[in-house]
Amino acid sequence: MLKVGLLGAGRIGRVHAQAIAAHPYSELSAVSDALPEASARLAEEFGANARQSQEIISDPSINAVLIATPTDTHSDLIEAATQAGKAVLCEKPVDLSLERAFACQSVSKATGQPVMVGFNRRFDPNFAALKAAFEAGEVGKAELLSITSFDPAPPPVSYVKVSGGLFRDMMIHDFDMANFLMGDLPEVISAVGTSVVDPEIGAAGDVDTAVVTMTYADGRIAVIKNSRRAAYGYDQRVELLGSEGMLQAQNILENSVVKSTSNGVTGAKPTYFFLERYMSAYRAEWDAFVRSVNSGSGVPVTLDDGVAALAMAEAATRSAQSGQSMVLAKVLKPVAK
Ligand SMILES: NC(=O)c1ccc[n+]([C@@H]2O[C@H](COP(=O)([O-])OP(=O)(O)OC[C@H]3O[C@@H](n4cnc5c(N)ncnc54)[C@H](O)[C@@H]3O)[C@@H](O)[C@H]2O)c1
């Protein structure tokens, strides 16, 4: 039985608490939060103890830590937890700063502890099935990948200001999905971004609508489209065109009813947002973590995967700001000063 400490009792912390408590081989032992009332509430709900993060990290009876705190705390907590001998599942992104993430990567690698990054979409049954069909050679060699990821509504500007920007906060999932499906990192990243949804997002120095194109050493292309607003709900689709056909993962709809009348043919909207769309993915993600830690096999999404996606977000941010294409290798391995 994996004894787990959950750090962060906010929106996503609650989702993870459910998965940890429901899993037959894990037990939610303790919960911490900067707000004592938040950890007390969640701990009580799941029969766990409310404790301080540092207490949880230094408790030798706790085997694993799930980090669901704000992004700017992730590297510090990953380092502290791995140095204390814990297996870690940390929410995305690894950090807001790529330099800080590089440092965290070396510190935690030296401990030998497993660190998984919370790219839950890899565990979505639809995207996982698309990947399996591609790996089975059902559409031949990949040529063009298109990822569409639109949120239903923009977050408050107060959130935008601390989020690290759309590329690090939101598109990071799509960068990881591209890496997952293409099996390689792109060579060159070009981004354009604009704020047409909410001018206050632009005034805060961020974009709310963006397109990234990525080219690979062997000539393949990937395109990612993000928007902070889609009037019809959470739009999450992937299309992979291969030499022998195409694989598409469509949206999950609120229901499967299609109404056909003399006015036309209509159906339900996509499920509202990530909590509705990806609940099964969060559970499968936790199951994959528990299995890998219990069996001693490598975690399926590594800290290196997290740092790679963050470097892509950094490259895209710089490209959108400068109007220049970015060579990813120069961002991933900066020339030593
Ligand atoms: N994978 C996903 O789909 C997904 C979805 C949402 C959020 N996230 C990520 O999860 C993280 C948390 O996001 P959220 O939406 O749950 O935020 P949130 O603000 O709802 O929750 C964060 C909680 O952490 C607490 N906290 C702050 N500093 C802390 C510290 N040092 N120790 C312990 N607790 C601390 C806060 O009081 C808050 O309750 C972010 O990094 C975000 O990018 C991932």
Side-chain angles (χ1 to χ4, degrees), residues 10-12 33-34 53 68-71 74 91-92 118 120 274 282:
R11 248 182 349 164
I12 205 72
D33 197 281
S53 297
T69 52
T71 302
H74 289 179
E91 261 308 337
K92 49 56 63 175
N120 56 293
F274 62 93
Y282 295 117

Side-chain angles (χ1 to χ4, degrees), residues 65-90:
V65 160
L66 196 154
I67 301 171
T69 52
T71 302
D72 61 356
T73 65
H74 289 179
S75 289
D76 290 348
L77 292 170
I78 293 172
E79 288 180 1
T82 52
Q83 286 177 324
K86 309 281 185 256
V88 172
L89 171 56
C90 181

Side-chain angles (χ1 to χ4, degrees), residues 35-46:
L35 302 172
E37 59 275 21
S39 46
R41 203 169 36 241
L42 201 63
E44 190 185 358
E45 195 178 320
F46 289 93

Side-chain angles (χ1 to χ4, degrees), residues 11 71 96 151 153-170 194-195 197-209 227-229 317:
R11 248 182 349 164
T71 302
L96 293 177
D151 283 354
V157 174
S158 56
Y159 175 84
V160 167
K161 285 180 179 162
V162 296
S163 69
L166 177 141
F167 298 107
R168 293 186 192 88
D169 179 56
M170 178 177 173
T194 180
S195 71
V197 171
D198 182 351
E200 280 195 42
I201 292 180
D206 197 6
V207 297
D208 51 42
T209 306
S227 169
R228 289 284 194 185
R229 181 188 59 203
T317 305

